[in-house]
């Protein structure tokens, strides 16, 4: 063959760089994978040979990070799990529901889920025939009755600790009820992360994460993870994998790589988030214009007993109630200097949110109040800075 022209040199891929093994995970920024010959293509597409064909079906960078999250969720446990990394926390929730449920099936869950999850269940899945029943999941007898009375309930879905009051539910008890009645259980483990809480230890079937938060920790990517001990579900061709592939909820390799970079320091960060939050919760309790402090690490928190049983430490999230309602809340937010006003959580720096005027401004007041989101409530995602700097900022804002 003649040597290629300059236009062809521009367009062609270089040869696979055969080099010494990279120390750090490379980003496979490729939509597809080239086959040596047609037989290899057939073998990979029919799942007879490990490999990749198209990045929506699977990508080496994305799979490496998913496998790491599965390893974190099973560390020290005698169980095997498989994971998928998805394009957001919402994609993780959607993919588990689409992979497991069909029209006519029902989800039993709590009223104080992450707002986006409640909206997803009620606005997207309900019109497709998947109904959601809301109940207080602290009331285990009621949960068991509801499940016994309605065989259409296929999934018991919960979140612990939950936004913004840090309410916790009993993982072991809920997983046990689901299992005894032949139903599946799923938990959103975003607030705790596997470093502080491993739901597989208590028999939960599926774990979802918004890796956007603590798992990444640096606020630079939106992604999610879905982990399960029902490993065949995640294999090529099966229910959940198929939902990801066909709906296209897969994570991009770039975002996966950013999650991985953050994961390396997860243990150190969660230790500091937890110790800083505990100090700040104590400080807040002593303020005379603070009516209530919601931190599941405080013995005064109604779910402290549950949290203590199933968590190693209590994480970086807390909220508190200011005397003086909406006006006091807005005034306090405007005086914040060191911390940042931002509607996310789990980053290395401290983030403050006033739910009544920000994240929950479109939620009817009675719904808000029923879930503990009062006008004077301030939510803090405590960072890993020096705790004295955070306390000094809060102090001057009071
Ligand atoms: C943020 C969040 C989600 C949604 O995750 P995205 O990555 O924003 O899609 C779900 N659950 C919890 C608990 C969250 O905090």
């Amino acid at each position: 063959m003649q040597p290629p022209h300059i236009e062809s040199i521009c367009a062609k891929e270089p040869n696979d760089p055969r080099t010494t093994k990279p120390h750090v995970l490379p980003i496979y920024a490729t939509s597809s994978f080239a086959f040596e010959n047609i037989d290899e293509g057939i073998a990979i597409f029919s799942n007879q040979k490990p490999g990749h064909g198209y990045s929506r079906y699977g990508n080496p960078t994305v799979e490496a990070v998913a496998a790491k999250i599965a390893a974190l969720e099973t560390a020290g446990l005698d169980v095997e799990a498989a994971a998928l990394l998805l394009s957001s926390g919402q994609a993780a929730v959607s993919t588990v529901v689409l992979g497991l449920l069909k029209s006519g099936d029902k989800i039993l869950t709590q009223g104080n889920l992450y707002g986006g999850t409640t909206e997803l269940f009620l606005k997207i899945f309900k019109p497709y025939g998947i109904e959601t029943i809301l109940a207080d999941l602290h009331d285990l007898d009621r949960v068991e009755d509801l499940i016994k009375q309605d065989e259409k309930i296929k999934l018991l879905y919960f979140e612990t600790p939950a936004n913004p009051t840090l309410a916790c539910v009993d993982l072991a008890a809920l997983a046990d009820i689901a299992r005894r009645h032949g139903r599946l259980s799923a938990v959103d483990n975003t607030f705790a992360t596997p470093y502080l809480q491993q739901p597989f230890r208590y028999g939960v079937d599926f774990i979802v994460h918004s890796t956007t938060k603590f798992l990444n920790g640096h606020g630079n990517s939106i992604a999610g993870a879905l982990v399960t001990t029902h490993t065949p579900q995640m294999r090529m061709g099966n229910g959940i994998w198929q939902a990801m592939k066909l709906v296209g909820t897969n994570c991009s390799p770039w975002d996966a790589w950013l999650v991985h970079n953050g994961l390396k320091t997860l243990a150190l960060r969660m230790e500091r988030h937890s110790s800083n939050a505990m100090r700040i919760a104590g400080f807040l309790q002593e303020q005379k214009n603070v009516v209530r402090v919601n931190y599941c690490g405080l013995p005064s928190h109604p779910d402290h007993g549950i949290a203590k049983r199933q968590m190693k430490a209590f994480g970086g999230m807390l909220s508190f109630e200011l005397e003086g309602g909406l006006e006091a809340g807005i005034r306090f937010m405007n005086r914040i200097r060191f911390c940042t006003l931002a509607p996310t959580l789990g980053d290395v720096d401290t983030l403050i949110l006033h739910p009544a005027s920000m994240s929950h401004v479109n939620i009817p007041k009675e719904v808000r109040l029923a879930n503990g989101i009062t006008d004077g409530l301030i939510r803090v995602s405590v960072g890993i800075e020096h705790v004295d700097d955070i306390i000094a900022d809060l102090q001057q804002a009071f």
Side-chain angles (χ1 to χ4, degrees):
M1 274 178 75
Q2 61 180 343
H5 293 87
I6 190 164
E7 293 85 348
S8 303
I9 295 171
C10 286
K12 292 298 286 180
E13 284 298 313
N15 288 328
D16 189 9
R18 308 261 174 215
T19 177
T20 319
K21 186 166 90 74
H23 167 51
V24 169
L25 179 68
I27 302 174
Y28 280 83
T30 182
S31 56
S32 71
F33 297 81
F35 305 127
E36 296 292 345
N37 51 50
I38 183 70
D39 289 339
E40 187 184 35
I42 292 168
I44 288 173
F45 265 96
S46 58
N47 205 17
Q48 282 156 11
K49 182 185 169 176
H52 296 91
Y54 191 59
S55 275
R56 176 158 45 76
Y57 297 33
N59 172 284
T61 308
V62 174
E63 286 172 3
V65 183
K68 187 169 210 165
I69 295 174
L72 294 173
E73 286 290 6
T74 54
L77 307 183
D78 193 19
V79 292
E80 236 185 276
L84 294 174
L85 203 67
L86 301 153
S87 57
S88 65
Q90 291 303 99
V93 181
S94 311
T95 303
V96 72
V97 172
L98 290 168
L100 296 175
L101 305 190
K102 56 183 191 318
S103 177
D105 291 341
K106 295 181 188 173
I107 301 167
L108 176 59
T109 190
Q110 65 205 58
N112 57 341
L113 291 174
Y114 172 73
T117 307
T118 309
E119 277 193 81
L120 173 67
F121 288 172
L122 300 179
K123 294 184 179 165
I124 303 294
F125 286 126
K126 193 171 172 213
Y128 283 97
I130 297 171
E131 207 182 300
T132 291
I133 302 167
L134 301 177
D136 178 1
L137 302 188
H138 290 97
D139 187 347
L140 298 171
D141 292 336
R142 168 95 181 123
V143 171
E144 183 144 17
D145 282 346
L146 284 167
I147 283 187
K148 267 199 235 163
Q149 285 160 18
D150 194 343
E151 62 181 26
K152 293 284 187 193
I153 296 173
K154 292 283 158 65
L155 182 66
L156 181 54
Y157 184 96
F158 35 95
E159 190 176 311
T160 182
N163 224 346
T165 56
L166 283 298
C168 298
V169 291
D170 189 328
L171 290 170
L174 291 170
D176 179 58
I177 293 173
R179 177 142 311 168
R180 275 192 289 107
H181 296 281
R183 319 301 165 87
L184 294 167
S185 58
V187 66
D188 185 329
N189 202 26
T190 298
F191 272 34
T193 83
Y195 185 71
L196 300 181
Q197 172 174 279
Q198 290 177 300
F200 292 147
R201 193 182 284 279
Y202 308 100
V204 175
D205 298 300
F206 294 87
I207 299 171
V208 299
H209 280 286
S210 168
T211 66
T212 311
K213 315 295 169 52
F214 290 101
L215 291 183
N216 174 309
H218 298 73
N220 53 20
S221 80
I222 300 264
L226 173 58
V227 197
T228 183
T229 49
H230 298 243
T231 53
Q233 276 284 345
M234 310 294 251
R235 284 197 205 116
M236 197 170 178
N238 291 357
I240 290 181
W241 178 85
Q242 183 141 287
M244 173 195 76
K245 180 195 97 169
L246 295 177
V247 182
T249 54
N250 56 293
C251 185
S252 90
W254 171 239
D255 287 304
W257 189 89
L258 289 166
V259 171
H260 185 252
N261 224 28
L263 279 178
K264 296 175 189 186
T265 55
L266 179 70
L268 295 173
R269 288 188 286 110
M270 294 317 290
E271 293 283 355
R272 180 65 78 86
H273 281 300
S274 300
S275 61
N276 278 0
M278 190 62 107
R279 275 279 305 280
I280 290 166
F283 160 79
L284 290 169
Q285 270 191 318
E286 288 161 11
Q287 304 308 303
K288 55 183 184 312
N289 42 356
V290 171
V291 184
R292 188 163 34 89
V293 181
N294 301 310
Y295 184 56
C296 58
L298 291 175
S300 59
H301 190 283
D303 297 327
H304 177 65
I306 296 175
K308 208 170 148 184
R309 253 199 327 273
Q310 60 196 23
M311 297 176 79
K312 185 162 139 187
F314 304 100
M317 297 304 299
L318 59 82
S319 63
F320 61 97
E321 175 74 28
L322 265 183
E323 201 173 62
L326 198 60
E327 243 171 71
I330 291 172
R331 224 178 315 121
F332 180 85
M333 294 298 286
N334 278 333
R335 286 205 217 98
I336 289 293
R337 294 288 169 267
F338 174 76
C339 305
T340 303
L341 272 54
T344 187
L345 60 98
D347 289 4
V348 288
D349 55 334
T350 299
L351 306 174
I352 300 201
L353 178 92
H354 180 228
S357 67
M358 295 164 77
S359 60
H360 291 70
V361 71
N362 293 322
I363 309 277
K365 189 166 177 177
E366 60 285 3
V367 177
R368 240 191 328 112
L369 293 180
N371 288 298
I373 307 161
T374 45
D375 286 345
L377 195 77
I378 308 275
R379 187 186 82 180
V380 188
S381 170
V382 177
I384 63 169
E385 307 97 327
H386 197 294
V387 69
D388 291 348
D389 294 333
I390 308 169
I391 289 176
D393 193 26
L394 298 173
Q395 182 121 55
Q396 64 81 29
F398 278 125

